[in-house]
Amino acid sequence: MTEALPDFRLHRPESLEELAALWRAEPQARVFGGGTDIIPNLRRGLVDAPALIELGALPGFADLTLLPDGGLRLGAGLRLADLASETELAGGWRALAEAARAVAGPAHRNAATLGGNLCQDTRCLYYNQSDWWRAANGYCLKYRGDTCHVAPQGSRCRAAFCSDLAPALIALGAEAELAGPGGTRQIALLALYRDDGAAHLALGPGELLVAVHLPAFAGVSGYEKMRVRRGVDFPLAGVGAALAPVAGGWALRVAVSGTDSLPVAITGLPSPLALPLAAAVIEQIDKAVQKQVTPMRSTMVSSHYRRLAAAALARRLVQRLAREAAAA
Ligand SMILES: Cc1cc2nc3c(=O)[nH]c(=O)nc-3n(C[C@H](O)[C@H](O)[C@H](O)COP(=O)(O)OP(=O)(O)OC[C@H]3O[C@@H](n4cnc5c(N)ncnc54)[C@H](O)[C@@H]3O)c2cc1C
């Protein structure tokens, strides 16, 4: 039974150069922010890491900067508790603060970071178990085994990506700033993810997330989450949405977490939208979400329930945002 924390070397680099040298020397080392995801996984024998690299001493890693073009640069080391109460996130970018408030409990949010939330491991009822439980099931496709027990007929791991922050940020048009041996690059946040529960991050070797960029935003946004335990729980489904004024009406962006191996950016939404929203438009949004998410069953609920939950959350959220936009 692997429940005690295994031995590992701990590093705390003070520059990206020092970090790169550490990673070159120990390619199997894993980086971490608050450790609220990786430490339980180490304890459960889900991570093999001879060394951990704590990112908190990197200069500017937890800075929040208002950009000259009206956008925002959020350092990957920002704590979720800070995002939840940040005044810059009280207006149009509110989806991010709402999502941060929805993560786990207060103690978690005091330690957990933006980068760790966006790079957290995927989850599955056959994976997030003790070693003896997984061994008794012959392990699974994500780790040490050769079968995905939730979808045995498929050839890939269906573990779900459960970040609350990712759908809020994707709805807000966020970009990820990455740094690695090849230098720095900026990509759409959505492009950080791959549809494979066993390898869901498109980070190269030695590459890490250093910041998230939010473009200036003149609309309204929000986040809604469904979970079994209201106090501390991962999303059965989590929906971020943003309504922005455009020529002839409003543009809507919706993204969903908790249902698939990557955050799902819903496509084919009606645009531009007129306010108040017609019932047929709400129905279209509901159907688009139902069609595009592919949740697996959890210990508590069926996959169909989760599909309906995601669609219901999207309806509820878009109606709330439409009311706010109309009143503004
Ligand atoms: C009981 C419990 C409840 C939870 N509830 C929720 C929830 O409701 N919603 C939710 O979204 N999450 C939840 N989590 C998961 C996790 O705690 C949070 O996602 C948290 O935000 C992770 O942040 P962290 O800084 O602690 O991550 P860490 O544990 O430090 O890192 C997580 C992963 O990301 C990688 N990583 C960290 N920073 C970077 C970076 N800058 N660049 C590249 N890779 C990086 C690490 O290598 C690791 O694999 C929960 C966890 C537990 C144990």
Side-chain angles (χ1 to χ4, degrees):
M1 186 161 89
T2 315
E3 291 292 345
L5 201 54
D7 289 339
F8 55 84
R9 287 177 294 285
L10 181 63
H11 303 289
R12 199 164 195 264
E14 295 183 6
S15 68
L16 284 175
E17 295 71 29
E18 192 187 339
L19 166 63
L22 281 167
W23 236 343
R24 271 197 305 277
E26 297 210 67
Q28 301 306 319
R30 295 282 298 270
V31 296
F32 76 102
T36 63
D37 185 54
I38 201 167
I39 296 293
N41 284 353
L42 266 171
R43 207 179 275 276
R44 287 201 150 171
L46 296 168
V47 176
D48 293 321
L52 291 186
I53 303 175
E54 210 254 82
L55 300 172
L58 294 176
F61 202 58
D63 286 357
L64 182 146
T65 317
L66 256 179
L67 301 172
D69 64 1
L72 206 56
R73 182 184 183 276
L74 302 154
L78 278 161
R79 306 279 162 191
L80 302 191
D82 296 330
L83 293 175
S85 59
E86 172 56 50
T87 47
E88 291 296 346
L89 302 178
W93 292 310
R94 207 178 56 220
L96 179 54
E98 288 183 5
R101 281 195 283 276
V103 174
H108 258 90
R109 296 193 291 270
N110 283 336
T113 62
L114 171 64
N117 190 275
L118 295 176
C119 298
Q120 67 179 272
D121 201 2
T122 52
R123 301 184 62 81
C124 174
L125 73 102
Y126 286 92
Y127 175 69
N128 298 97
Q129 300 287 352
S130 59
D131 187 62
W132 66 264
W133 192 97
R134 289 178 292 117
N137 282 282
Y139 293 101
C140 74
L141 195 53
K142 184 163 163 65
Y143 195 63
R144 290 192 194 162
D146 53 14
T147 306
C148 176
H149 297 296
V150 272
Q153 69 284 9
S155 57
R156 76 159 178 90
C157 163
R158 305 301 299 242
F161 181 63
C162 297
S163 159
D164 281 303
L165 267 52
L169 285 166
I170 288 167
L172 289 167
E175 299 206 337
E177 182 185 327
L178 310 176
T184 303
R185 62 185 177 122
Q186 202 163 312
I187 57 171
L189 179 59
L190 188 61
L192 181 61
Y193 300 106
R194 296 196 291 222
D195 201 6
D196 180 349
H200 68 296
L201 293 176
L203 286 171
E207 200 170 41
L208 79 154
L209 176 68
V210 287
V212 170
H213 291 246
L214 282 176
F217 182 66
V220 290
S221 72
Y223 182 72
E224 292 276 346
K225 168 175 181 175
M226 182 163 293
R227 55 191 144 180
V228 174
R229 289 163 298 193
R230 187 134 186 86
V232 176
D233 218 343
F234 288 90
L236 287 176
V239 178
L243 260 185
V246 290
W250 295 80
L252 173 65
R253 265 200 294 240
V254 174
V256 181
S257 189
T259 54
D260 293 68
S261 297
L262 76 182
V264 181
I266 303 299
T267 56
L269 296 171
S271 180
L273 293 173
L275 302 182
L277 294 176
V281 169
I282 307 278
E283 201 54 34
Q284 247 178 298
I285 296 165
D286 181 299
K287 289 283 171 297
V289 173
Q290 281 200 48
K291 203 166 162 194
Q292 291 173 46
V293 299
T294 48
M296 298 290 116
R297 70 189 160 86
S298 78
T299 35
M300 297 286 186
V301 296
S302 70
S303 60
H304 187 57
Y305 179 93
R306 299 181 80 174
R307 186 186 300 280
L308 295 180
L313 288 175
R315 288 173 84 111
R316 189 186 301 169
L317 176 57
V318 173
Q319 283 171 302
R320 160 159 74 95
L321 297 181
R323 282 194 300 276
E324 284 174 19

